[in-house]
Amino acid sequence: MKAAFLDFATLGPGVSTAGLDQLLAVSYHTHSSQAEIRARLQDKEVALLNKAELDRETITGSTGLKFIVLAATGTDNVDLEAAREKGIAVSNIRDYCTAAVVQHVMALILGLTRHIMGCRTPVSGKDWERSEARVLFEYPIRELTGKTLGIVGYGSLGRGVAEAGRCFGMEVLVGERVGLAAEAVRQGRTPLCDLLKQADIISLHCPLTDASRHMIGADELRLMKSDALLINTARGALIDSRALAEALDTGVIAGAGIDVLAEEPPADDEPLLSRDRPNLILTPHIAWTAKESRQRAVDQMVENVADYLNGGRLRRVI
């Protein structure tokens, strides 16, 4: 079967595609514009992609397309309804980057509570040598032990972060699934409004849906403690970034660790990039990018393709 990998560069250097090449005749493209995607899929039966967008027009116009294989868990960049209508199978990958994302979440939390980067400046600037107290107290360092960690989205990533939090002595609250409050009651989960009020640190791990878009806005931020931290390594549009920027600037919350933005690469008017904020750590969607995770992503794509060719439904979304 002929295949096109539409945005292979998004998987970064150093990964092996030998498994894919044994199963498919793959054309690799570093990146693809919308016009290029349509042209490159014209004679292809399989589309391989990570962040490239497959909209309705592209899917309906790709007459030979039979299988869409995502190198990601999220599927919001593919029009699933259009794929379903055309009988095109869609698979994603799962649990491939849990270790990397959990470690990144904890790095963001520790970065905001230990102020490692900020503490380097007075050392290099000789402030430590001039300190009569023999120590510097400019940065309010906090312990995690005894703090409450709120998890919104309790799949593999959420569970992994919860386990890591408990290792640091944190109490864990699991929030209700957005849009499924009745189910949350049955599962004993904490209503979102209560979680926002009680948690010292909130970490988001839920998918982006119509119900979860801007689930954290100005009203929700005002419910949080003034010394609380907000962490997002899931999808940028879960948070109203303009409301978050204002909350950080006015002391509504103490800080945020953000690895994802609503638009990536970000637009010039992205509010979180409008100024340097000492209470914001912003990383360029790298939580998942450990080399080991990226290779597992390709390996799971290989498994999905092999299973599809054998008539199976491994990790099938459609």
Side-chain angles (χ1 to χ4, degrees):
M1 298 179 74
K2 292 183 179 180
F5 206 129
L6 299 170
D7 54 353
F8 184 64
T10 62
L11 287 182
V15 296
S16 170
T17 62
L20 284 175
D21 297 329
Q22 289 175 2
L23 297 171
L24 302 168
V26 184
S27 299
Y28 291 94
H29 307 281
T30 55
H31 301 286
S32 300
S33 66
Q34 283 304 114
E36 289 171 333
I37 288 173
R38 290 163 190 158
R40 288 167 179 172
L41 292 181
Q42 280 304 307
D43 62 339
K44 302 300 189 296
E45 298 162 282
V46 181
L48 309 169
L49 64 147
N50 181 12
K51 302 176 186 294
E53 294 188 11
L54 292 186
D55 57 18
R56 174 173 288 274
E57 182 179 354
T58 301
I59 290 172
T60 55
S62 301
T63 55
L65 190 62
K66 294 181 173 63
F67 191 24
I68 298 169
V69 187
L70 285 154
T73 302
T75 59
D76 47 288
N77 56 325
V78 175
D79 191 322
L80 297 180
E81 189 57 35
R84 183 181 288 108
E85 291 172 4
K86 283 207 65 179
I88 298 172
V90 181
S91 71
N92 66 354
I93 59 176
R94 304 166 195 177
D95 305 337
Y96 67 100
C97 62
T98 299
V101 172
V102 169
Q103 290 167 29
H104 196 82
V105 168
M106 297 312 298
L108 291 173
I109 292 172
L110 291 169
L112 290 164
T113 54
R114 302 300 302 183
H115 295 285
I116 301 299
M117 293 304 295
C119 289
R120 294 176 60 211
T121 304
V123 172
S124 61
K126 303 297 182 180
D127 289 353
W128 191 8
E129 290 89 327
R130 291 192 288 266
S131 172
E132 294 181 355
R134 301 188 181 183
V135 66
L136 299 174
F137 294 102
E138 281 81 357
Y139 293 92
I141 294 174
R142 301 161 62 194
E143 293 182 353
L144 298 182
T145 306
K147 299 296 189 296
T148 298
L149 173 63
I151 305 290
V152 183
Y154 204 53
S156 298
L157 294 173
R159 286 183 169 86
V161 171
E163 182 180 356
R166 292 187 184 102
C167 289
F168 279 91
M170 303 183 75
E171 301 293 330
V172 175
L173 291 178
V174 180
E176 66 186 9
R177 294 177 64 186
V178 178
L180 296 174
E183 180 179 322
V185 171
R186 292 196 300 272
Q187 295 180 342
R189 297 186 179 183
T190 305
L192 180 60
C193 60
D194 293 336
L195 182 139
L196 292 170
K197 294 174 184 177
Q198 297 174 36
D200 299 293
I201 300 169
I202 294 170
S203 190
L204 305 182
H205 300 283
C206 46
L208 178 63
T209 65
D210 290 340
S212 64
R213 185 176 297 274
H214 285 190
M215 58 178 284
I216 304 295
D219 292 342
E220 289 75 19
L221 289 162
R222 282 193 289 268
L223 291 176
M224 294 173 63
K225 297 178 181 180
S226 60
D227 61 353
L229 304 176
L230 178 62
I231 309 295
N232 187 15
T233 55
R235 285 292 184 265
L238 295 173
I239 299 174
D240 181 340
S241 59
R242 192 169 302 280
L244 176 58
E246 184 176 347
L248 292 171
D249 293 342
T250 58
V252 172
I253 65 171
I258 304 295
D259 185 55
V260 287
L261 295 173
E263 183 178 344
E264 296 177 354
D268 291 339
D269 60 351
E270 166 56 51
L272 293 176
L273 295 176
S274 63
R275 50 171 292 195
D276 184 24
R277 294 178 172 89
N279 55 351
L280 171 66
I281 299 177
L282 183 60
T283 55
H285 204 148
I286 58 170
W288 67 281
T289 60
K291 183 178 179 181
E292 297 85 350
S293 296
R294 293 184 285 111
Q295 187 60 58
R296 280 194 293 270
V298 175
D299 293 345
Q300 284 197 22
M301 295 177 78
V302 173
E303 293 170 358
N304 291 347
V305 171
D307 189 71
Y308 171 82
L309 294 175
N310 288 324
R313 299 178 58 85
L314 181 63
R315 304 188 189 97
R316 289 278 288 277
V317 180
I318 301 293

